[in-house]
Amino acid sequence: MQERLQKILAQAGYGSRRACEEFIIAGRVRVNGQLAELGQKADPGLDRVTLDGKPIPKGEPLIYIALHKPRNVLSTVEREAGDTRQSVRDLVDVPERVYPVGRLDFESEGLVLMTNDGDLANRLTHPRFGHQKEYRVLVARRPDEAQLTAWRRGVVLEDESRTAPAGVNLIQTFGKGAWLRVVMGEGRKRQIREIGTMLGLPVVRIVRVRIGSLRLGTLKSREWRYLTAEEVAELKNPTGGKAKPERGKPSQKKRRPAR
């Protein structure tokens, strides 16, 4: 059966559909030796689809992993030439081709979901699905109510765009600063840090503790685990459906890769 190329690539574990569209636009995808075009369809059972000259694998099992990303680790799979920094893929020792869903800044830490399920990645990253992300944010100064209210309502950034309303609450004071709980439905690059700067609340530390229904829990820095079937089902159907995924490893065992 014919399907759009970005869907075929996503299902093979090359990223979200939007990321796979960029591969097609960049001229990295071919079908039966011919340069592919955005919107083109192919039959993965009959056609030879390649990315950068390498054939797309078929029938790879779907994998779902929760990782506690430490600070100063890239939340990306592809790196620029000469970039020797460690990435989240270096921390997860599995043979399958998995990639992080969404971004988490190099200096930030906490929960990262890694998978080869392109459909789920699209649902979790596309704004129309409204999946929330929750953070613990340490700011260098204790905020007053006016600053918290402004953050909740939305802040005009340097590029003159306004952030969406967010849930922001004071958890506890910490020295001259404070820990905040921030819940957001959007995730622009370095958004939390830029909001803090605009409000006079320099951000010292960011820890992501939740993506949709998935929580960081007791995972320690650099540890990872497979999601349970129930966790995957809830991410796919947050309204409470009971259907379980056909493929996905249920082990709760935590793993720490070699440093």
Side-chain angles (χ1 to χ4, degrees):
M1 182 178 69
Q2 287 200 333
E3 296 179 305
R4 292 190 182 276
L5 286 175
Q6 59 264 39
K7 183 176 181 180
I8 295 173
L9 290 166
Q11 289 177 336
Y14 286 93
S16 68
R17 292 191 193 183
R18 285 185 290 172
C20 292
E21 287 177 355
E22 295 301 321
F23 297 153
I24 299 170
I25 294 171
R28 298 170 59 184
V29 181
R30 290 179 177 268
V31 179
N32 300 325
Q34 301 298 314
L35 193 64
E37 298 179 352
L38 191 63
Q40 184 174 341
K41 294 183 178 181
D43 186 332
L46 300 176
D47 297 312
R48 186 174 188 270
V49 181
T50 62
L51 173 64
D52 296 333
K54 298 178 181 179
I56 303 302
K58 301 173 183 178
E60 190 172 77
L62 297 179
I63 303 297
Y64 307 89
I65 289 171
L67 165 71
H68 186 155
K69 183 187 98 65
R71 300 175 75 174
N72 301 327
V73 169
L74 295 167
S75 61
T76 183
V77 173
E78 294 189 355
R79 284 170 286 197
E80 295 182 3
D83 191 345
T84 60
R85 292 177 294 177
Q86 199 170 40
S87 81
V88 290
R89 188 62 183 90
D90 298 320
L91 305 182
V92 179
D93 183 20
V94 296
E96 294 86 3
R97 184 184 296 102
V98 294
Y99 56 91
V101 177
R103 64 170 66 93
L104 189 60
D105 293 343
F106 181 69
E107 303 91 343
S108 300
E109 57 197 290
L111 179 62
V112 171
L113 172 63
M114 301 191 68
T115 185
N116 54 2
D117 186 339
D119 288 335
L120 178 60
N122 184 63
R123 290 185 63 88
L124 291 175
T125 56
H126 201 290
R128 77 172 182 269
F129 293 108
H131 286 276
Q132 293 182 337
K133 297 178 180 65
E134 182 178 339
Y135 302 83
R136 297 288 185 269
V137 180
L138 177 61
V139 292
R141 301 191 181 104
R142 297 183 181 181
D144 57 32
E145 190 57 35
Q147 290 169 314
L148 294 177
T149 299
W151 196 331
R152 292 170 186 141
R153 290 178 176 173
V155 176
V156 177
L157 304 178
E158 288 187 353
D159 64 0
E160 298 185 354
S161 63
R162 176 178 286 275
T163 62
V168 185
N169 300 98
L170 175 67
I171 299 175
Q172 66 181 59
T173 58
F174 188 83
K176 294 182 179 180
W179 279 100
L180 306 178
R181 174 180 179 265
V182 178
V183 180
M184 302 164 48
E186 61 180 354
R188 307 181 200 181
K189 186 175 181 180
R190 301 186 67 83
Q191 180 174 329
I192 291 176
R193 297 182 189 277
E194 188 171 349
I195 290 174
T197 299
M198 299 295 289
L199 294 178
L201 299 171
V203 172
V204 177
R205 188 177 175 190
I206 298 175
V207 183
R208 185 159 65 193
V209 297
R210 179 170 63 87
I211 301 172
S213 58
L214 181 63
R215 295 185 176 276
L216 180 63
T218 59
L219 276 180
K220 297 178 181 178
S221 181
R222 291 180 175 265
E223 285 186 343
W224 61 272
R225 67 173 178 83
Y226 290 109
L227 270 61
T228 65
E230 289 77 12
E231 286 174 319
V232 175
E234 191 167 1
L235 283 173
K236 290 186 174 184
N237 186 9
T239 58
K242 300 299 182 180
K244 295 184 179 181
E246 295 179 2
R247 296 173 292 176
K249 300 186 179 181
S251 171
Q252 281 284 333
K253 185 178 180 181
K254 299 173 185 176
R255 313 198 179 206
R256 181 184 292 272
R259 293 179 180 271

